[in-house]
Amino acid sequence: MLIVMHHSAPADQIEAVRRAVEQMGLRAEPIPGSERTAIGVLGNQGYVDDTSIRHLPGIREIIHVSKPYKMVSRDFHPASTVVEVGGVSVGEGHPPVIIAGPCSIESEEQMVEAALLVKGAGAQILRGGAFKPRTGPHSFQGLGKEGLKYLRRAGDEAGMPVITEVMRIGQLDDVCRHADILQIGARNMQNFDLLKEAGKTGHPVLLKRGMSATLEEFLAAAEYILAEGNSRVILCERGVRTFERATRNTLDLSVVPLIKEMSHLPIIVDPSHATGKRSLVPVMAKAALVAGTHGLMIEVHPAPEKALCDGAQSLAGPGFRALMDEMRSLMSYLGY
Ligand code: PEP
Ligand code: MN
């Protein structure tokens, strides 16, 4: 439930409503805004009977929100959230941010080479996986903790914030120590314990959409992180599983404008995992910009033919530089 106060409601009226909500055994979260203050009501299992509060002075409107996500919703928080990390701003009102780098960290040399390559082409954030969620147990599983050090060194050398995936709670300490952003992958989108613990760290989190998650499930997963007091969350559309096997997944681009309507959180697109094909990455990256994405996550490898993971969807240096040039023109056309 959301209680919208009158524009002119003084602080004591807001406080009286907050107390009344708490007397009902619920949590009240005042959400100050430039236009008016709203009070988010949390902790209810179902519909809240508002008879004991609706007469209180200063209330303009009571909106019953029956969605499984509230703090993530624009109803609760009309202003867009911008996630600031290492001097980079991700969100509405800022140019789309490019996150690039290899699927997995393979060696210190490979990571430094990749970092300098993507930085030189204009990317702002460096990616690389140390803990890899591979479909089969015989595939390369990542370098683990050792990989985190290489990623950090490569990021420092190129002067870039870094992002890497965390697969389980036990990895959180190490990943927080080495990375600026925690990535929670598609396969872990509904690992609720991991979401809660990631929320408690206060670290920025990039949450990827599960491969068969509905938008409601995606936003409800993000709610777990916000419910722990961490609103530094970036959502990422990375394609969903459909009947079509010609592409690795099916990129659901319409969620970009839709999430912007439904939520205040930034939404970015990963055209690499969405398509699985190097030749399709540039055009879908540009399509995502047109759809209004706040950023892109693109797999780039100095030598994709030698990559230990996802080489077929990784761009090499020349392809990535050409794409960055095209995206710069497109962004200027789009008015960024
Ligand atoms: C990744 O970005 O490295 C990854 C494994 O992606 P996803 O979780 O979207 O499959
Ligand atoms: Mn990958």
Side-chain angles (χ1 to χ4, degrees):
M1 190 167 78
L2 185 68
I3 304 167
V4 182
M5 302 298 293
H6 277 297
H7 178 64
S8 54
D12 60 329
Q13 289 185 349
I14 297 172
E15 179 55 22
V17 173
R18 197 185 63 74
R19 272 202 314 272
V21 168
E22 283 176 355
Q23 271 162 18
M24 292 164 74
L26 299 169
R27 223 171 92 212
E29 184 106 8
I31 310 163
S34 53
E35 304 279 296
R36 41 71 172 166
T37 289
I39 298 169
V41 178
L42 302 164
N44 55 302
Q45 297 299 326
Y47 185 85
V48 181
D49 180 1
D50 62 21
T51 37
S52 64
I53 48 173
R54 64 176 165 229
H55 62 279
L56 291 174
I59 294 179
R60 193 186 82 193
E61 192 185 2
I62 293 183
I63 303 169
H64 290 271
V65 185
S66 57
K67 298 170 189 143
Y69 56 90
K70 292 176 179 170
M71 303 178 79
V72 157
S73 156
R74 263 215 201 271
D75 297 336
F76 262 51
H77 194 286
S80 297
T81 289
V82 174
V83 177
E84 313 268 357
V85 50
V88 181
S89 305
V90 188
E92 198 66 18
H94 296 271
V97 167
I98 310 301
I99 303 171
C103 180
S104 57
I105 301 155
E106 299 166 3
S107 67
E108 186 167 357
E109 298 68 40
Q110 170 247 17
M111 231 17 252
V112 171
E113 196 181 346
L116 297 175
L117 187 172
V118 299
K119 172 78 177 186
Q124 293 102 325
I125 299 174
L126 179 66
R127 69 151 281 150
F131 302 105
K132 293 304 304 175
R134 302 305 300 278
T135 300
H138 307 302
S139 303
F140 176 57
Q141 302 287 307
L143 295 181
K145 280 191 195 182
E146 202 54 27
L148 294 176
K149 292 185 202 154
Y150 302 156
L151 175 67
R152 184 72 267 168
R153 277 185 218 148
D156 289 346
E157 194 147 330
M160 302 172 90
V162 302
I163 176 169
T164 198
E165 178 161 353
V166 54
M167 285 172 51
R168 48 189 172 80
I169 292 170
Q171 295 163 350
L172 270 169
D173 280 351
D174 281 320
V175 173
C176 282
R177 214 168 315 118
H178 292 91
D180 303 284
I181 309 175
L182 307 174
Q183 177 171 324
I184 296 188
R187 292 156 192 80
N188 266 317
M189 188 206 82
Q190 284 186 314
N191 181 337
F192 301 118
D193 287 342
L194 179 62
L195 296 172
K196 285 185 206 166
E197 293 304 314
K200 285 182 192 153
T201 67
H203 234 63
V205 178
L206 180 116
L207 178 64
K208 297 188 99 176
R209 181 182 183 183
M211 54 189 82
S212 57
T214 63
L215 220 47
E216 189 169 279
E217 288 163 342
F218 188 19
L219 295 176
E223 183 86 2
Y224 272 90
I225 304 170
L226 272 76
E228 298 297 337
N230 183 2
S231 59
R232 302 170 80 196
V233 175
I234 303 165
L235 302 170
C236 179
E237 160 63 30
R238 45 76 75 205
V240 288
R241 180 69 66 93
T242 67
F243 55 84
E244 182 55 72
R245 302 316 303 145
T247 47
R248 184 173 178 180
N249 290 289
T250 297
L251 180 55
D252 186 5
L253 261 190
S254 59
V255 302
V256 172
L258 200 49
I259 283 179
K260 287 170 138 190
E261 284 177 17
M262 297 163 78
S263 175
H264 53 89
L265 295 175
I267 166 78
I268 74 159
V269 171
D270 171 352
S272 307
H273 292 90
T275 62
K277 280 190 167 58
R278 182 180 310 130
S279 63
L280 301 182
V281 169
V283 67
M284 298 320 286
K286 288 178 280 184
L289 288 179
V290 174
T293 189
H294 295 125
L296 288 156
M297 173 178 263
I298 300 173
E299 284 189 341
V300 179
H301 194 287
E305 66 289 352
K306 294 195 194 131
L308 297 181
C309 183
D310 287 351
Q313 67 193 33
S314 301
L315 297 179
F320 183 60
R321 281 188 286 270
L323 172 59
M324 288 297 290
D325 284 343
E326 288 173 17
M327 291 201 294
R328 263 187 291 274
S329 313
L330 180 56
M331 285 188 212
S332 118
Y333 173 79
L334 292 171
Y336 289 112

